Amino acid sequence: MNRLSMVIAALLLSGKPVVAEEYPFYGFLTSGEDVEIAQTSDAARCALSFFNQKPNGSFVGYHVDMEQFIKTKTVRYVAYNAGTCVYDKAHRLESCHVSTDTDDKSQGNTFLGVIDSIGPTYVRTTGFDTMEEALDYYASGRKAKGVAVTFLRCPFDEARLATMISTAISDLSLEARNKLADPGPELLGASVTAELVKAVGLKAAE
């Protein structure tokens, strides 16, 4: 078992919270566009890549094994990173530490974000490079160098999804992985992606 496999297993099996209360949002989420209404691409984004945020703050990121899906039409998700987020409720601040990642440059990094709003279908945050910038934004509302980030909630059938999540670790290059984690219009609109959405059991917005 390699390092990523061991970290993921430890995070999934751990029942001890890293904060005194449940993390303010959890479940299956993916990165998306900052819009008020559901987009036809939302289901595609979820089907291609998502992360599972746990109530105790731990998370694991997955992407689809597209090569296997193209060849066999069977869906398998493989892990590419794992870590833990800690929430400072007083400042709406989340600090997410990447314990392990198939991208060596991301491994060990900590990402900071101020949670702006949590809705039934999305979570909006603003990300910062430094704690000083994040706290200034919380106190004054000045975004400075902050970057708006929207996470979409993925309406998976969890029992169905569980049969598709494997213990395998991604072997994709960073470039190939990013095409799934941050898909462009071509992949979002591709026929194979539409087939994947259907196979996963998601429904595209109309």
Side-chain angles (χ1 to χ4, degrees):
M1 181 180 287
N2 63 25
R3 174 177 169 78
L4 181 53
S5 298
M6 291 189 290
V7 171
I8 290 172
L11 289 172
L12 295 181
L13 293 174
S14 174
K16 183 179 180 180
V18 295
V19 289
E21 57 188 35
E22 286 188 340
Y23 205 69
F25 65 89
Y26 49 88
F28 299 97
L29 301 103
T30 193
S31 298
E33 298 178 61
D34 188 15
V35 292
E36 293 292 341
I37 59 174
Q39 303 293 293
T40 55
S41 62
D42 290 356
R45 292 179 187 276
C46 287
L48 291 167
S49 178
F50 60 87
F51 64 96
N52 184 6
Q53 182 82 51
K54 294 287 189 175
N56 68 356
S58 65
F59 65 87
V60 180
Y62 298 93
H63 68 69
V64 70
D65 182 340
M66 185 62 87
E67 182 177 356
Q68 176 173 296
F69 182 70
I70 291 173
K71 289 180 178 179
T72 68
K73 300 305 178 184
T74 57
V75 182
R76 181 180 80 143
Y77 288 101
V78 296
Y80 65 85
N81 71 1
T84 302
C85 296
V86 176
Y87 182 60
D88 173 4
K89 185 177 181 180
H91 300 97
R92 303 198 316 274
L93 176 69
E94 60 173 352
S95 301
C96 296
H97 178 73
V98 180
S99 303
T100 187
D101 197 300
T102 58
D103 173 18
D104 291 339
K105 292 182 179 179
S106 292
Q107 188 163 294
N109 287 350
T110 297
F111 298 92
L112 303 171
V114 174
I115 298 177
D116 296 311
S117 61
I118 299 175
T121 59
Y122 64 85
V123 177
R124 289 194 178 99
T125 71
T126 301
F128 297 92
D129 291 331
T130 69
M131 184 69 71
E132 182 180 7
E133 291 174 347
L135 293 177
D136 178 67
Y137 171 60
Y138 169 78
S140 66
R142 294 190 297 268
K143 284 194 175 184
K145 297 180 181 179
V147 177
V149 180
T150 297
F151 299 117
L152 307 173
R153 296 186 186 274
C154 297
F156 289 116
D157 178 325
E158 293 191 26
R160 183 173 182 173
L161 180 63
T163 66
M164 303 174 186
I165 294 179
S166 73
T167 58
I169 305 303
S170 173
D171 61 0
L172 292 184
S173 67
L174 180 59
E175 180 181 5
R177 188 184 96 179
N178 286 345
K179 287 182 180 179
L180 297 173
D182 186 21
E186 184 176 352
L187 181 57
L188 289 172
S191 58
V192 67
T193 305
E195 292 176 11
L196 175 64
V197 169
K198 185 176 180 181
V200 174
L202 294 173
K203 182 179 179 181
E206 297 178 354

